[in-house]
Amino acid sequence: MLTKKQHELLMFIHERIRETGVSPSFDEMKEALDLASKSGIHRLITALEERGFIRRLAHRARALEVVKLPEQATTAAPAKGRAPFKPDVIQGGGLGPRPAAAEAANDVRDLPLLGKIAAGTPIAAIQHERERLPVPESMLGAGEHYLLEIEGDSMIEAGILDGDTVIIKRVENASSGEIVVALVEGEEATLKRLRKKGQSIALEPANSAYETRIFGPDQVEVQGKLVGLLRRYH
């Protein structure tokens, strides 16, 4: 699921490349989406790139390639030193039905799976419970927790892979260096490492192919921090 602006920009780039063979400039994209600055376009492009919809072509100016379109997309254009993280992992049957012995021992807790998270995920997409999954109490501790499914490869160097289910403790504050669910400008959620730099907040991917994004202190709200993950092997 893309935000409205992400979808508009993706379709604008797609249409321009289809018509001219060249991707539009940042100024053209800014004007088409009626944004006040090119920084907003940069943020949208980064989100689309991390989610696998576009690719930047190396050593070529203004070079973007549309890799895929949303399933609901039409062809209409818009009107206008890192600390290593070693996650606790439950493998194999960790996502399966609850074993009778575990249920009897009461050592698991059912947590809500709220949806998929990737760069620029609309916050509305992770606010509604999809199902509940059992998670060992030993991975949780006190507090409220929820689950999110990872989409994309922006955190692979932290051992967080596409398709993993991450365990998030609901908090409003986090220390620099922790991996958090961050709400950007009240609209888009992403899972990134938080870095505090003076009055600025950096959201840092764990993939050297992607850029760190810098925001002002009132542009980012912490929605939770990573405490573990579940992984299923097929």
Side-chain angles (χ1 to χ4, degrees):
M1 182 177 177
L2 299 177
T3 66
K4 180 181 178 182
K5 288 296 186 184
Q6 288 169 2
H7 186 273
E8 286 182 359
L9 180 61
L10 178 62
M11 297 312 302
F12 178 69
I13 295 171
H14 171 66
E15 283 295 304
R16 180 59 63 88
I17 293 174
R18 189 169 67 90
E19 292 172 0
T20 68
V22 179
S23 57
S25 68
F26 270 49
D27 283 325
E28 290 170 332
M29 289 186 270
K30 178 172 73 73
E31 182 178 351
L33 271 68
D34 195 25
L35 295 180
S37 69
K38 287 189 284 189
S39 63
I41 293 296
H42 181 78
R43 175 171 56 85
L44 293 171
I45 286 177
T46 299
L48 290 171
E49 182 183 28
E50 288 190 25
R51 301 183 74 178
F53 286 95
I54 63 174
R55 179 186 300 125
R56 301 188 212 212
L57 303 179
H59 312 302
R60 290 175 55 189
R62 286 180 52 178
L64 297 174
E65 177 186 13
V66 176
V67 179
K68 64 179 181 179
L69 295 174
E71 292 181 2
Q72 74 276 21
T74 67
T75 56
K80 288 292 253 187
R82 297 177 190 167
F85 175 75
K86 298 185 182 299
D88 294 327
V89 179
I90 297 295
Q91 300 180 348
L95 298 182
R98 178 189 306 187
E103 185 173 7
N106 196 30
D107 60 355
V108 297
R109 191 188 312 176
D110 284 339
L111 296 183
L113 176 62
L114 300 185
K116 294 184 179 182
I117 187 167
T121 297
I123 187 62
I126 63 170
Q127 289 181 324
H128 302 290
E129 180 179 322
R130 285 174 27 186
E131 59 180 309
R132 298 185 78 87
L133 298 174
V135 177
E137 286 283 359
S138 60
M139 298 183 70
L140 301 177
E144 182 182 354
H145 296 72
Y146 59 93
L147 305 174
L148 293 170
E149 183 180 346
I150 296 297
E151 182 177 58
D153 61 357
S154 66
M155 296 300 290
I156 58 174
E157 292 167 16
I160 304 169
L161 309 181
D162 183 54
D164 283 348
T165 300
V166 290
I167 306 169
I168 305 297
K169 181 177 181 179
R170 196 181 295 276
V171 297
E172 295 182 356
N173 296 290
S175 301
S176 187
E178 290 187 302
I179 296 176
V180 303
V181 175
L183 178 62
V184 179
E185 296 182 346
E187 181 181 335
E188 302 172 12
T190 188
L191 185 81
K192 293 290 183 291
R193 193 181 299 278
L194 179 76
R195 299 287 186 191
K196 297 179 180 179
K197 301 182 178 181
Q199 293 300 309
S200 298
I201 294 177
L203 297 181
E204 182 181 274
N207 184 332
S208 56
Y210 302 128
E211 298 178 353
T212 295
R213 301 160 65 191
I214 309 295
F215 298 94
D218 21 349
Q219 290 180 293
V220 175
E221 298 175 36
V222 173
Q223 303 280 293
K225 66 179 181 180
L226 179 70
V227 297
L229 65 83
L230 312 174
R231 179 173 298 154
R232 173 180 289 154
Y233 290 96
H234 298 284

